[in-house]
Amino acid sequence: MLLSIAWKNVWRNKLRSLIVIIAISLGLVGGIFSAAVMKGAAKDGVRGMIDNYISEIQIHQPLFKLNNETKYHIKNSNEFEKNIKNIEGVKSVSSRLKVTGMASSANSAVGVSINGINPEQEKLVTTIYKNILDSSGTYFETKSRNPAIISKRLAEKLKLRLRSKIILTFPTSDGSQIETAFKIIGVFKTTNSTYDKLNIYVNKSDLARLTGYSEDVSQEIAIRINKEASIDSIKSKISKNDSTLLVETWKDLVPTLAMSSGIMDQMILVFLIIILMALGFGIVNTMLMVVLERIKEIGMLMAVGMSKIRIFFMIMFETIFLSLVGGVIGMSISAVLIGYYNINGITFSGLDEAFEKFGYPTTIYPELEPTVYFTLSFLIILTGIIASIYPARKALKLNPVEALRSDA
Amino acid sequence: MKIIEVKNLNKIYHEGEINVHAVRGIDLVIEQGEFTAIVGPSGSGKTTLLNMIGGLDNPTEGEIVIDEINIGNLKSSQLTDFRMKNIGFVFQAYNLIPVLTAKENVEFIMHLQGKSKKERADRAIQLLEEVGLGERVNSRPSKLSGGQQQRVAVARALASKPKFILADEPTANLDSESTANLLDIMEKLNREENITFIFSTHDARVVNKARRVITIDDGKIMSDITK
Ligand SMILES: Nc1ncnc2c1ncn2[C@@H]1O[C@H](COP(=O)(O)OP(=O)(O)OP(=O)(O)O)[C@@H](O)[C@H]1O
Ligand SMILES: [Mg+2]
């Protein structure tokens, strides 16, 4: 009975209720959708970083990580690589000869990380090959002496073009420096400008020859794993294989990336709570109007024997219903919008530059875990309950005689 | 049988610096089955008296005993419960819950009393038939005339099987035909079911229907005539 009266009371002043409901829905659509965009962006950003650069797991000599010196390498890396490939859940492996050096053109010079790779293997690990720009060459398919792939950003910085020569200076195995010309046969671009500027890809065989290392040596082994596989169990299996090596997951490698997705969830929650609080004030205001309008009716209800508790709950239920209707509409619209853009993507043109700086993709596929809707439903009900307390207390303070006598 | 006993009842309102002595030392006994009108000029204290008898307002002095219970000793929540179980109210207006139908309004009190669904529905329909609204059980108040609304209020007041019904100017907003009609129904309920009615009024035609007429002025009983 109380519930049914409360529900019917919501629709007494249809216009006013609709305005509140629309406000709640719009507020929530705005909040939920932006949350999904943030979440989608963060997730795509993480995915992009893993796909293009860092992979799920990387292996180094601990000292190589510390000072990037080439001499701290993994010996017998082909054998080691085979062992890793045998671990269940490992999808692909690439072992790289990696040196830190200088890239220079007639115009300028910058420090770079030179990755000596086996292109066929590397294709199974990183997606740089997919990011070769149109009419900007190929991924090691063009025949050339000392071919190199560099990013568009580095090319721009050094004022180089496809088929230009790029001079790479790097240390050899005996500690001396070597300066060699490479030919740019491909230009790529990913969403992460920092990594783009830093990395150059050359054939492992070329780099081995020039540095004097064997091709069975590598400074870095990158590992991709299957979707369902457990990254931590694979990590520990690799560590067992050779305990002297440093085995790191992407979370270890780029802690900020892992952290940002955790922080994101909390931020989204805080963000939604703030929106609900703002809406809550609007609800309080509306319910105060409701109580004021119904002073006589509430007085009558008290007079004929409706207890204060019941009156309190009647107003609380009405507030909850009002909030929930708005909430359900808002969440439904959000779910539909998110569903649509999750498939079709949203492109934020104009913001490309800013997004890329942080390693975020320019086309975003918003997404939100279904659990967020449950949390939200709970929060909306809570908002209704909290928003009803003040108006309901106002109603309880009424004295039936005065309420019935009032002119309202 | 004595159902209400009012002893030396006084009510003083404090309005700023001024004290309004609205009821001055009223003694009164109401017997089961009375059909009593309280009359008097505007501001004479009728509403104040009825509100105190109904447990809606606290006397400044004096006591009200209903069925051997001194209601001055009840806590606010007990009083609410007491009103629900023992007293039927009909006000001048705003008697009904606008979002409920006539039948639901009558059922409402029985719901508060925790009566079963079947009992509620049966009694609500029976009461609405008694007040001549058997056809309008599913109408909302806004679809009913003022007179019909007051009849629903009477049915609602009866629903809890109260000891008596207090009606403060129940006909004030009604035209003469509706007034007569409502009074006829109240009188019939009084005659056939021995239901006690105490009502206040300004209207001479209403006064004529009463069997006992208590005239008050300036908070005091001027005359108390039983026909
Ligand atoms: N809450 C209040 N505060 C101050 N004075 C009040 C209050 N309620 C009633 N009074 C005063 O008490 C007196 C009696 O009022 P009451 O409403 O009982 O009269 P009444 O006989 O019902 O009049 P009416 O026929 O106009 O309804 C009046 O002088 C009125 O102004
Ligand atoms: Mg009055």
PDB file of all heavy atoms in Angstrom, chain A residues 1 8-9 12 296-297 300-306 310 401 404, chain B residues 51 56 80 83 89 91 94-95 97-99 104 108-109 111-112 156:
ATOM      1  N   MET A   1       0.841  -1.198   0.000  1.00  0.00           N
ATOM      2  CA  MET A   1       0.000   0.000   0.000  1.00  0.00           C
ATOM      3  C   MET A   1       0.876   1.249   0.000  1.00  0.00           C
ATOM      4  O   MET A   1       0.722   2.130  -0.833  1.00  0.00           O
ATOM      5  CB  MET A   1      -0.880  -0.008   1.261  1.00  0.00           C
ATOM      6  CG  MET A   1      -1.934   1.085   1.248  1.00  0.00           C
ATOM      7  SD  MET A   1      -3.294   0.674   0.154  1.00  0.00           S
ATOM      8  CE  MET A   1      -4.602   1.632   0.854  1.00  0.00           C
ATOM      9  N   LYS A   8       2.349   6.035  -7.061  1.00  0.00           N
ATOM     10  CA  LYS A   8       1.334   6.885  -7.699  1.00  0.00           C
ATOM     11  C   LYS A   8       1.629   8.361  -7.448  1.00  0.00           C
ATOM     12  O   LYS A   8       1.368   9.197  -8.320  1.00  0.00           O
ATOM     13  CB  LYS A   8      -0.051   6.532  -7.165  1.00  0.00           C
ATOM     14  CG  LYS A   8      -0.553   5.198  -7.713  1.00  0.00           C
ATOM     15  CD  LYS A   8      -1.820   4.751  -7.017  1.00  0.00           C
ATOM     16  CE  LYS A   8      -2.282   3.420  -7.567  1.00  0.00           C
ATOM     17  NZ  LYS A   8      -3.296   2.808  -6.692  1.00  0.00           N
ATOM     18  N   ASN A   9       2.164   8.662  -6.277  1.00  0.00           N
ATOM     19  CA  ASN A   9       2.480  10.059  -5.973  1.00  0.00           C
ATOM     20  C   ASN A   9       3.543  10.621  -6.913  1.00  0.00           C
ATOM     21  O   ASN A   9       3.547  11.817  -7.196  1.00  0.00           O
ATOM     22  CB  ASN A   9       2.961  10.192  -4.526  1.00  0.00           C
ATOM     23  CG  ASN A   9       1.802  10.324  -3.554  1.00  0.00           C
ATOM     24  OD1 ASN A   9       0.695  10.687  -3.962  1.00  0.00           O
ATOM     25  ND2 ASN A   9       2.044  10.037  -2.295  1.00  0.00           N
ATOM     26  N   ARG A  12       1.900  12.305  -9.767  1.00  0.00           N
ATOM     27  CA  ARG A  12       0.875  13.297  -9.478  1.00  0.00           C
ATOM     28  C   ARG A  12       1.124  14.579 -10.219  1.00  0.00           C
ATOM     29  O   ARG A  12       0.221  15.148 -10.817  1.00  0.00           O
ATOM     30  CB  ARG A  12       0.889  13.596  -7.987  1.00  0.00           C
ATOM     31  CG  ARG A  12      -0.356  13.147  -7.334  1.00  0.00           C
ATOM     32  CD  ARG A  12      -0.108  13.090  -5.884  1.00  0.00           C
ATOM     33  NE  ARG A  12      -0.773  14.208  -5.252  1.00  0.00           N
ATOM     34  CZ  ARG A  12      -1.001  14.243  -3.955  1.00  0.00           C
ATOM     35  NH1 ARG A  12      -0.595  13.249  -3.195  1.00  0.00           N
ATOM     36  NH2 ARG A  12      -1.618  15.252  -3.430  1.00  0.00           N
ATOM     37  N   LYS A 296      -1.431  19.762   3.879  1.00  0.00           N
ATOM     38  CA  LYS A 296      -2.767  19.422   4.386  1.00  0.00           C
ATOM     39  C   LYS A 296      -3.012  17.924   4.338  1.00  0.00           C
ATOM     40  O   LYS A 296      -3.576  17.344   5.255  1.00  0.00           O
ATOM     41  CB  LYS A 296      -3.831  20.127   3.535  1.00  0.00           C
ATOM     42  CG  LYS A 296      -3.938  21.573   3.922  1.00  0.00           C
ATOM     43  CD  LYS A 296      -5.291  22.132   3.620  1.00  0.00           C
ATOM     44  CE  LYS A 296      -5.407  23.371   4.446  1.00  0.00           C
ATOM     45  NZ  LYS A 296      -6.401  24.305   4.098  1.00  0.00           N
ATOM     46  N   GLU A 297      -2.571  17.348   3.215  1.00  0.00           N
ATOM     47  CA  GLU A 297      -2.781  15.914   3.049  1.00  0.00           C
ATOM     48  C   GLU A 297      -1.991  15.136   4.101  1.00  0.00           C
ATOM     49  O   GLU A 297      -2.505  14.179   4.704  1.00  0.00           O
ATOM     50  CB  GLU A 297      -2.320  15.521   1.652  1.00  0.00           C
ATOM     51  CG  GLU A 297      -2.619  14.092   1.296  1.00  0.00           C
ATOM     52  CD  GLU A 297      -2.145  13.813  -0.118  1.00  0.00           C
ATOM     53  OE1 GLU A 297      -2.233  14.731  -0.957  1.00  0.00           O
ATOM     54  OE2 GLU A 297      -1.694  12.686  -0.360  1.00  0.00           O
ATOM     55  N   MET A 300      -3.688  15.424   7.344  1.00  0.00           N
ATOM     56  CA  MET A 300      -4.855  14.540   7.396  1.00  0.00           C
ATOM     57  C   MET A 300      -4.420  13.103   7.669  1.00  0.00           C
ATOM     58  O   MET A 300      -5.010  12.400   8.510  1.00  0.00           O
ATOM     59  CB  MET A 300      -5.614  14.659   6.060  1.00  0.00           C
ATOM     60  CG  MET A 300      -6.831  13.788   5.899  1.00  0.00           C
ATOM     61  SD  MET A 300      -6.470  12.106   5.338  1.00  0.00           S
ATOM     62  CE  MET A 300      -5.951  12.416   3.644  1.00  0.00           C
ATOM     63  N   LEU A 301      -3.340  12.674   6.985  1.00  0.00           N
ATOM     64  CA  LEU A 301      -2.872  11.300   7.166  1.00  0.00           C
ATOM     65  C   LEU A 301      -2.438  11.061   8.615  1.00  0.00           C
ATOM     66  O   LEU A 301      -2.721  10.009   9.202  1.00  0.00           O
ATOM     67  CB  LEU A 301      -1.710  11.004   6.213  1.00  0.00           C
ATOM     68  CG  LEU A 301      -2.100  10.923   4.733  1.00  0.00           C
ATOM     69  CD1 LEU A 301      -0.863  10.871   3.849  1.00  0.00           C
ATOM     70  CD2 LEU A 301      -2.981   9.703   4.473  1.00  0.00           C
ATOM     71  N   MET A 302      -1.773  12.073   9.179  1.00  0.00           N
ATOM     72  CA  MET A 302      -1.363  11.938  10.582  1.00  0.00           C
ATOM     73  C   MET A 302      -2.593  11.899  11.481  1.00  0.00           C
ATOM     74  O   MET A 302      -2.662  11.112  12.426  1.00  0.00           O
ATOM     75  CB  MET A 302      -0.496  13.127  10.989  1.00  0.00           C
ATOM     76  CG  MET A 302       0.894  13.083  10.415  1.00  0.00           C
ATOM     77  SD  MET A 302       1.754  14.615  10.871  1.00  0.00           S
ATOM     78  CE  MET A 302       3.436  14.109  10.601  1.00  0.00           C
ATOM     79  N   ALA A 303      -3.545  12.758  11.186  1.00  0.00           N
ATOM     80  CA  ALA A 303      -4.747  12.840  12.018  1.00  0.00           C
ATOM     81  C   ALA A 303      -5.491  11.508  12.037  1.00  0.00           C
ATOM     82  O   ALA A 303      -5.905  11.047  13.100  1.00  0.00           O
ATOM     83  CB  ALA A 303      -5.663  13.950  11.505  1.00  0.00           C
ATOM     84  N   VAL A 304      -5.625  10.884  10.870  1.00  0.00           N
ATOM     85  CA  VAL A 304      -6.415   9.648  10.842  1.00  0.00           C
ATOM     86  C   VAL A 304      -5.605   8.446  11.328  1.00  0.00           C
ATOM     87  O   VAL A 304      -6.114   7.331  11.348  1.00  0.00           O
ATOM     88  CB  VAL A 304      -7.028   9.349   9.455  1.00  0.00           C
ATOM     89  CG1 VAL A 304      -7.933  10.492   9.017  1.00  0.00           C
ATOM     90  CG2 VAL A 304      -5.952   9.055   8.424  1.00  0.00           C
ATOM     91  N   GLY A 305      -4.357   8.660  11.691  1.00  0.00           N
ATOM     92  CA  GLY A 305      -3.641   7.585  12.366  1.00  0.00           C
ATOM     93  C   GLY A 305      -2.484   6.971  11.613  1.00  0.00           C
ATOM     94  O   GLY A 305      -2.016   5.898  11.963  1.00  0.00           O
ATOM     95  N   MET A 306      -1.987   7.656  10.579  1.00  0.00           N
ATOM     96  CA  MET A 306      -0.799   7.128   9.901  1.00  0.00           C
ATOM     97  C   MET A 306       0.415   7.517  10.738  1.00  0.00           C
ATOM     98  O   MET A 306       0.617   8.687  11.050  1.00  0.00           O
ATOM     99  CB  MET A 306      -0.696   7.730   8.502  1.00  0.00           C
ATOM    100  CG  MET A 306       0.360   7.074   7.652  1.00  0.00           C
ATOM    101  SD  MET A 306       0.135   7.570   5.939  1.00  0.00           S
ATOM    102  CE  MET A 306       1.521   6.794   5.155  1.00  0.00           C
ATOM    103  N   ARG A 310       5.592   5.550   8.982  1.00  0.00           N
ATOM    104  CA  ARG A 310       4.984   5.262   7.679  1.00  0.00           C
ATOM    105  C   ARG A 310       5.058   6.471   6.762  1.00  0.00           C
ATOM    106  O   ARG A 310       5.299   6.332   5.558  1.00  0.00           O
ATOM    107  CB  ARG A 310       3.538   4.826   7.869  1.00  0.00           C
ATOM    108  CG  ARG A 310       3.410   3.396   8.334  1.00  0.00           C
ATOM    109  CD  ARG A 310       1.951   2.977   8.243  1.00  0.00           C
ATOM    110  NE  ARG A 310       1.822   1.547   8.158  1.00  0.00           N
ATOM    111  CZ  ARG A 310       1.216   0.805   9.101  1.00  0.00           C
ATOM    112  NH1 ARG A 310       0.714   1.395  10.185  1.00  0.00           N
ATOM    113  NH2 ARG A 310       1.110  -0.490   8.954  1.00  0.00           N
ATOM    114  N   VAL A 401      -2.710  19.450  13.453  1.00  0.00           N
ATOM    115  CA  VAL A 401      -3.656  20.564  13.588  1.00  0.00           C
ATOM    116  C   VAL A 401      -3.210  21.752  12.745  1.00  0.00           C
ATOM    117  O   VAL A 401      -3.988  22.312  11.964  1.00  0.00           O
ATOM    118  CB  VAL A 401      -3.758  21.007  15.065  1.00  0.00           C
ATOM    119  CG1 VAL A 401      -4.712  22.171  15.189  1.00  0.00           C
ATOM    120  CG2 VAL A 401      -4.197  19.849  15.924  1.00  0.00           C
ATOM    121  N   LEU A 404      -3.457  21.001   8.990  1.00  0.00           N
ATOM    122  CA  LEU A 404      -4.816  21.063   8.454  1.00  0.00           C
ATOM    123  C   LEU A 404      -5.315  22.502   8.389  1.00  0.00           C
ATOM    124  O   LEU A 404      -6.124  22.861   7.538  1.00  0.00           O
ATOM    125  CB  LEU A 404      -5.762  20.222   9.319  1.00  0.00           C
ATOM    126  CG  LEU A 404      -5.669  18.723   9.064  1.00  0.00           C
ATOM    127  CD1 LEU A 404      -6.298  17.939  10.200  1.00  0.00           C
ATOM    128  CD2 LEU A 404      -6.317  18.357   7.735  1.00  0.00           C
TER     129      LEU A 404
ATOM    130  N   ASN B  51     -10.688  19.256  18.098  1.00  0.00           N
ATOM    131  CA  ASN B  51      -9.313  18.762  17.932  1.00  0.00           C
ATOM    132  C   ASN B  51      -8.786  18.143  19.219  1.00  0.00           C
ATOM    133  O   ASN B  51      -8.065  17.138  19.188  1.00  0.00           O
ATOM    134  CB  ASN B  51      -8.384  19.891  17.492  1.00  0.00           C
ATOM    135  CG  ASN B  51      -8.523  20.194  16.001  1.00  0.00           C
ATOM    136  OD1 ASN B  51      -9.108  19.405  15.257  1.00  0.00           O
ATOM    137  ND2 ASN B  51      -8.005  21.327  15.574  1.00  0.00           N
ATOM    138  N   LEU B  56      -5.867  15.480  18.646  1.00  0.00           N
ATOM    139  CA  LEU B  56      -4.977  16.136  17.691  1.00  0.00           C
ATOM    140  C   LEU B  56      -4.243  17.299  18.330  1.00  0.00           C
ATOM    141  O   LEU B  56      -3.215  17.738  17.842  1.00  0.00           O
ATOM    142  CB  LEU B  56      -5.775  16.651  16.484  1.00  0.00           C
ATOM    143  CG  LEU B  56      -6.481  15.597  15.639  1.00  0.00           C
ATOM    144  CD1 LEU B  56      -7.367  16.261  14.588  1.00  0.00           C
ATOM    145  CD2 LEU B  56      -5.458  14.704  14.954  1.00  0.00           C
ATOM    146  N   THR B  80      -1.338   8.512  18.133  1.00  0.00           N
ATOM    147  CA  THR B  80      -1.588   8.261  16.713  1.00  0.00           C
ATOM    148  C   THR B  80      -2.308   6.925  16.552  1.00  0.00           C
ATOM    149  O   THR B  80      -3.301   6.808  15.821  1.00  0.00           O
ATOM    150  CB  THR B  80      -0.256   8.220  15.930  1.00  0.00           C
ATOM    151  OG1 THR B  80       0.474   9.412  16.208  1.00  0.00           O
ATOM    152  CG2 THR B  80      -0.489   8.105  14.445  1.00  0.00           C
ATOM    153  N   ARG B  83      -5.886   7.151  17.830  1.00  0.00           N
ATOM    154  CA  ARG B  83      -6.783   7.801  16.858  1.00  0.00           C
ATOM    155  C   ARG B  83      -7.173   6.832  15.765  1.00  0.00           C
ATOM    156  O   ARG B  83      -8.335   6.721  15.395  1.00  0.00           O
ATOM    157  CB  ARG B  83      -6.088   9.015  16.217  1.00  0.00           C
ATOM    158  CG  ARG B  83      -5.931  10.205  17.128  1.00  0.00           C
ATOM    159  CD  ARG B  83      -5.671  11.473  16.332  1.00  0.00           C
ATOM    160  NE  ARG B  83      -4.463  11.411  15.517  1.00  0.00           N
ATOM    161  CZ  ARG B  83      -3.266  11.844  15.916  1.00  0.00           C
ATOM    162  NH1 ARG B  83      -3.131  12.403  17.110  1.00  0.00           N
ATOM    163  NH2 ARG B  83      -2.232  11.739  15.121  1.00  0.00           N
ATOM    164  N   PHE B  89     -12.460  10.480  11.585  1.00  0.00           N
ATOM    165  CA  PHE B  89     -12.410  11.921  11.327  1.00  0.00           C
ATOM    166  C   PHE B  89     -13.013  12.267   9.973  1.00  0.00           C
ATOM    167  O   PHE B  89     -12.757  11.592   8.982  1.00  0.00           O
ATOM    168  CB  PHE B  89     -10.956  12.421  11.314  1.00  0.00           C
ATOM    169  CG  PHE B  89     -10.305  12.435  12.668  1.00  0.00           C
ATOM    170  CD1 PHE B  89      -9.547  11.349  13.102  1.00  0.00           C
ATOM    171  CD2 PHE B  89     -10.431  13.536  13.498  1.00  0.00           C
ATOM    172  CE1 PHE B  89      -8.933  11.370  14.346  1.00  0.00           C
ATOM    173  CE2 PHE B  89      -9.818  13.564  14.740  1.00  0.00           C
ATOM    174  CZ  PHE B  89      -9.071  12.476  15.176  1.00  0.00           C
ATOM    175  N   PHE B  91     -13.059  15.850   7.904  1.00  0.00           N
ATOM    176  CA  PHE B  91     -12.691  17.268   7.915  1.00  0.00           C
ATOM    177  C   PHE B  91     -13.494  18.031   6.888  1.00  0.00           C
ATOM    178  O   PHE B  91     -14.222  17.460   6.069  1.00  0.00           O
ATOM    179  CB  PHE B  91     -11.187  17.430   7.660  1.00  0.00           C
ATOM    180  CG  PHE B  91     -10.334  16.693   8.656  1.00  0.00           C
ATOM    181  CD1 PHE B  91      -9.704  15.489   8.316  1.00  0.00           C
ATOM    182  CD2 PHE B  91     -10.189  17.168   9.949  1.00  0.00           C
ATOM    183  CE1 PHE B  91      -8.936  14.805   9.236  1.00  0.00           C
ATOM    184  CE2 PHE B  91      -9.425  16.489  10.883  1.00  0.00           C
ATOM    185  CZ  PHE B  91      -8.799  15.297  10.522  1.00  0.00           C
ATOM    186  N   TYR B  94      -9.941  18.200   2.066  1.00  0.00           N
ATOM    187  CA  TYR B  94      -8.678  17.442   2.055  1.00  0.00           C
ATOM    188  C   TYR B  94      -8.747  16.183   2.916  1.00  0.00           C
ATOM    189  O   TYR B  94      -7.844  15.867   3.664  1.00  0.00           O
ATOM    190  CB  TYR B  94      -7.505  18.313   2.546  1.00  0.00           C
ATOM    191  CG  TYR B  94      -7.312  19.541   1.716  1.00  0.00           C
ATOM    192  CD1 TYR B  94      -7.783  20.772   2.145  1.00  0.00           C
ATOM    193  CD2 TYR B  94      -6.688  19.449   0.471  1.00  0.00           C
ATOM    194  CE1 TYR B  94      -7.619  21.900   1.365  1.00  0.00           C
ATOM    195  CE2 TYR B  94      -6.529  20.574  -0.305  1.00  0.00           C
ATOM    196  CZ  TYR B  94      -6.986  21.794   0.144  1.00  0.00           C
ATOM    197  OH  TYR B  94      -6.831  22.903  -0.621  1.00  0.00           O
ATOM    198  N   ASN B  95      -9.836  15.479   2.749  1.00  0.00           N
ATOM    199  CA  ASN B  95     -10.013  14.266   3.521  1.00  0.00           C
ATOM    200  C   ASN B  95      -9.364  13.053   2.875  1.00  0.00           C
ATOM    201  O   ASN B  95      -9.051  12.093   3.545  1.00  0.00           O
ATOM    202  CB  ASN B  95     -11.498  13.957   3.649  1.00  0.00           C
ATOM    203  CG  ASN B  95     -12.097  14.623   4.846  1.00  0.00           C
ATOM    204  OD1 ASN B  95     -11.725  14.308   5.960  1.00  0.00           O
ATOM    205  ND2 ASN B  95     -12.998  15.566   4.623  1.00  0.00           N
ATOM    206  N   ILE B  97      -6.931  10.807  -0.066  1.00  0.00           N
ATOM    207  CA  ILE B  97      -5.647  10.748  -0.749  1.00  0.00           C
ATOM    208  C   ILE B  97      -5.946  10.809  -2.250  1.00  0.00           C
ATOM    209  O   ILE B  97      -6.618   9.921  -2.786  1.00  0.00           O
ATOM    210  CB  ILE B  97      -4.907   9.440  -0.392  1.00  0.00           C
ATOM    211  CG1 ILE B  97      -4.733   9.359   1.128  1.00  0.00           C
ATOM    212  CG2 ILE B  97      -3.573   9.360  -1.113  1.00  0.00           C
ATOM    213  CD1 ILE B  97      -4.192   8.029   1.617  1.00  0.00           C
ATOM    214  N   PRO B  98      -5.499  11.851  -2.920  1.00  0.00           N
ATOM    215  CA  PRO B  98      -5.919  12.087  -4.307  1.00  0.00           C
ATOM    216  C   PRO B  98      -5.539  10.971  -5.268  1.00  0.00           C
ATOM    217  O   PRO B  98      -6.224  10.768  -6.265  1.00  0.00           O
ATOM    218  CB  PRO B  98      -5.188  13.371  -4.703  1.00  0.00           C
ATOM    219  CG  PRO B  98      -4.650  13.961  -3.460  1.00  0.00           C
ATOM    220  CD  PRO B  98      -4.582  12.889  -2.429  1.00  0.00           C
ATOM    221  N   VAL B  99      -4.432  10.258  -4.986  1.00  0.00           N
ATOM    222  CA  VAL B  99      -3.992   9.256  -5.965  1.00  0.00           C
ATOM    223  C   VAL B  99      -4.702   7.909  -5.788  1.00  0.00           C
ATOM    224  O   VAL B  99      -4.501   6.999  -6.586  1.00  0.00           O
ATOM    225  CB  VAL B  99      -2.463   9.032  -5.920  1.00  0.00           C
ATOM    226  CG1 VAL B  99      -1.731  10.267  -6.405  1.00  0.00           C
ATOM    227  CG2 VAL B  99      -2.010   8.643  -4.526  1.00  0.00           C
ATOM    228  N   GLU B 104     -10.002   2.523  -2.419  1.00  0.00           N
ATOM    229  CA  GLU B 104      -8.677   2.453  -1.803  1.00  0.00           C
ATOM    230  C   GLU B 104      -8.555   3.410  -0.619  1.00  0.00           C
ATOM    231  O   GLU B 104      -7.898   3.107   0.373  1.00  0.00           O
ATOM    232  CB  GLU B 104      -7.594   2.769  -2.842  1.00  0.00           C
ATOM    233  CG  GLU B 104      -7.430   1.670  -3.877  1.00  0.00           C
ATOM    234  CD  GLU B 104      -6.625   2.115  -5.093  1.00  0.00           C
ATOM    235  OE1 GLU B 104      -6.549   3.331  -5.373  1.00  0.00           O
ATOM    236  OE2 GLU B 104      -6.093   1.240  -5.780  1.00  0.00           O
ATOM    237  N   PHE B 108      -7.687   2.272   3.116  1.00  0.00           N
ATOM    238  CA  PHE B 108      -6.413   2.752   3.656  1.00  0.00           C
ATOM    239  C   PHE B 108      -6.287   2.569   5.174  1.00  0.00           C
ATOM    240  O   PHE B 108      -5.315   2.013   5.678  1.00  0.00           O
ATOM    241  CB  PHE B 108      -6.238   4.222   3.265  1.00  0.00           C
ATOM    242  CG  PHE B 108      -4.984   4.847   3.796  1.00  0.00           C
ATOM    243  CD1 PHE B 108      -3.748   4.499   3.291  1.00  0.00           C
ATOM    244  CD2 PHE B 108      -5.048   5.779   4.820  1.00  0.00           C
ATOM    245  CE1 PHE B 108      -2.597   5.073   3.784  1.00  0.00           C
ATOM    246  CE2 PHE B 108      -3.898   6.357   5.320  1.00  0.00           C
ATOM    247  CZ  PHE B 108      -2.667   6.002   4.803  1.00  0.00           C
ATOM    248  N   ILE B 109      -7.328   3.024   5.904  1.00  0.00           N
ATOM    249  CA  ILE B 109      -7.283   2.938   7.364  1.00  0.00           C
ATOM    250  C   ILE B 109      -7.216   1.473   7.808  1.00  0.00           C
ATOM    251  O   ILE B 109      -6.473   1.116   8.714  1.00  0.00           O
ATOM    252  CB  ILE B 109      -8.556   3.565   7.976  1.00  0.00           C
ATOM    253  CG1 ILE B 109      -8.563   5.060   7.696  1.00  0.00           C
ATOM    254  CG2 ILE B 109      -8.651   3.258   9.456  1.00  0.00           C
ATOM    255  CD1 ILE B 109      -7.987   5.885   8.791  1.00  0.00           C
ATOM    256  N   HIS B 111      -5.975  -0.831   6.173  1.00  0.00           N
ATOM    257  CA  HIS B 111      -4.633  -1.294   5.883  1.00  0.00           C
ATOM    258  C   HIS B 111      -3.699  -0.945   7.038  1.00  0.00           C
ATOM    259  O   HIS B 111      -2.901  -1.769   7.474  1.00  0.00           O
ATOM    260  CB  HIS B 111      -4.143  -0.666   4.587  1.00  0.00           C
ATOM    261  CG  HIS B 111      -2.835  -1.228   4.138  1.00  0.00           C
ATOM    262  ND1 HIS B 111      -2.742  -2.336   3.342  1.00  0.00           N
ATOM    263  CD2 HIS B 111      -1.571  -0.859   4.421  1.00  0.00           C
ATOM    264  CE1 HIS B 111      -1.473  -2.620   3.155  1.00  0.00           C
ATOM    265  NE2 HIS B 111      -0.735  -1.735   3.788  1.00  0.00           N
ATOM    266  N   LEU B 112      -3.827   0.295   7.523  1.00  0.00           N
ATOM    267  CA  LEU B 112      -3.002   0.693   8.669  1.00  0.00           C
ATOM    268  C   LEU B 112      -3.282  -0.208   9.866  1.00  0.00           C
ATOM    269  O   LEU B 112      -2.407  -0.490  10.675  1.00  0.00           O
ATOM    270  CB  LEU B 112      -3.279   2.149   9.057  1.00  0.00           C
ATOM    271  CG  LEU B 112      -2.919   3.239   8.042  1.00  0.00           C
ATOM    272  CD1 LEU B 112      -3.234   4.612   8.612  1.00  0.00           C
ATOM    273  CD2 LEU B 112      -1.453   3.163   7.652  1.00  0.00           C
ATOM    274  N   ARG B 156     -14.793   6.336   4.937  1.00  0.00           N
ATOM    275  CA  ARG B 156     -13.429   6.125   5.410  1.00  0.00           C
ATOM    276  C   ARG B 156     -13.372   6.177   6.946  1.00  0.00           C
ATOM    277  O   ARG B 156     -12.741   5.351   7.602  1.00  0.00           O
ATOM    278  CB  ARG B 156     -12.512   7.197   4.806  1.00  0.00           C
ATOM    279  CG  ARG B 156     -11.026   6.919   4.875  1.00  0.00           C
ATOM    280  CD  ARG B 156     -10.329   7.472   6.112  1.00  0.00           C
ATOM    281  NE  ARG B 156     -10.711   8.822   6.458  1.00  0.00           N
ATOM    282  CZ  ARG B 156     -10.126   9.908   5.981  1.00  0.00           C
ATOM    283  NH1 ARG B 156      -9.145   9.809   5.122  1.00  0.00           N
ATOM    284  NH2 ARG B 156     -10.526  11.093   6.377  1.00  0.00           N
TER     285      ARG B 156
END
